[in-house]
Amino acid sequence: MAAARPIYFSAQIREVEARARQSALMERAGIAAANLARQLLDTEGKSVLVIAGPGNNGGDALVAARHLKSSWFNVTVLMAGNADNLPPDAAQAWQAWRDAGGSIAAGIPADTRFDLVIDGLYGIGLQRDLAGNDARLVAAVNTLPATKLALDTPSGIHADSGRVMGCAVRADHTLTFIGLKPGLLTGAGLDYCGELHLDTLDVAEADLPAPAGWTVESNAPCCKPRPQNSHKGQFGSIGILGGAPGMVGAALLAGRAALHTGAGRVYVGLIDDTLSVDVAQPELMLRKASEIAEFGNADCLIAGMGLGQSSLASESLHRTVKQHVPLLLDADALNILSHDAELQAELRARSAVTVLTPHPGEAARLLGLSTQAVQDDRIGTACKLARHFATHVVLKGAGSVCVTPAGEWTINASGNPGLSSPGTGDVLAGMIGTLIAQNEDVEQAVRCAVYLHGAAADELSAQGTGPIGLTASELLCAARRLLNENCRTIC
């Protein structure tokens, strides 16, 4: 499994660029782009359209165009903006292109079928929505039947958040420079950057600032081998509160996930207490909600899956929050929390570990925002939640964001659209709670569970079980297999 990789905000990258010779970085970036373009084109002689913008991103594209022309590709350059107003290094790249015999097209030639389009319109510096001629150019590029390679970030994608600024190029590949940017790893950015490539441009690690965050690309730190001389009491007792009438399945899914990720004992307290046994998973011990709320033998409590928002649900949640054990709140527990000031105060007063696992809609309710506002700044939202409630936070979605109470954040690299199905969040809650119960390092346990959850979906999709139609229940055995394989090969 890949190691975690550092992530940098665009302002940090700008600082690195300011300390380096920009012209040297531009030449390296253009060469890196040309090299990747050659790989994508496979054979020389093919047609390439290069879109060069009015800044240094355009300069990178012009350098790439010059090198591709020298390799006998048919290169057409379209200059967006006034070449007379280019920054100094981009102007130098422009002159080098002209000196090499390169010409400039007035628009996208209608009579040429391009094999590759290089998007060098705007890079990480864009801070406004695209409109007018820029928007029309992006729309035209997106309709071309050619492979699209974006430089640094697809034009129109905010490098720090992944927000679409009016419109954006839908790239098949994105070659980003110096370091990873968060907007390429979470939210809408994932749908626009295609396959992500990184070239550090030979910038030394010592010349880079401290990363703003990290990717999560391995569950190895949380995997522990089990001794032969062991018993179930060593592997964590989990208490789950949820399961209102019509939603019992949510709590059962969380319980089954806890069992499949190694919990020693799992107690499920149901608001709807008419069910006495889970026939499909009889190892689960079903209880009344009131028993779980005051359960004194848990290593971790999980609340919210199918909980509902009845008075019984609210009362049970208040009692659960007051227990001095690690606690995870999900789903309806978060919805109750969003409008219950007393519960919020009780949560902040807790000294034991607390984890909140909202999807964007729940995060929006907790902070009084719109769901779109959350999605437009997923990292900022997750960090704000962690500060506001003094908790760990997992903001679910494409590129789930994990934040500690101290504000340290990571973006998960596993998972696919198959997780956009009912119950997958309940499964994740069970996994996180179980790994917390089994590990002293809560931060690692949370990240490991989030990665494992996504990795199980990735494995199933690779086998043809998804992403379309993948169900939450199918994640259980896949996650268990990955966890056991990890223990054997890593630990």
Side-chain angles (χ1 to χ4, degrees), residues 28 45 80 106 108 119 183 189 283 288 294 302 341 350 371 390 395 416 443 477:
R28 292 178 208 159
I108 299 177
D119 165 29
E283 298 89 348
K288 294 181 179 181
E294 297 176 356
I302 308 171
R350 283 174 49 84
T371 302
L395 178 57
N416 61 66
E443 180 180 348
C477 291

Side-chain angles (χ1 to χ4, degrees), residues 216 218-219 222 261 328 394 402 412 414 427-436 439 442-456 479 483:
V216 178
S218 172
N219 62 335
C222 285
T261 44
L328 183 149
V394 178
C402 304
N412 184 51
S414 67
V427 169
L428 176 60
M431 290 180 174
I432 294 174
T434 298
L435 293 184
I436 287 174
N439 290 273
V442 174
E443 180 180 348
Q444 290 287 0
V446 171
R447 294 174 180 176
C448 175
V450 172
Y451 178 85
L452 179 65
H453 182 253
L483 196 58

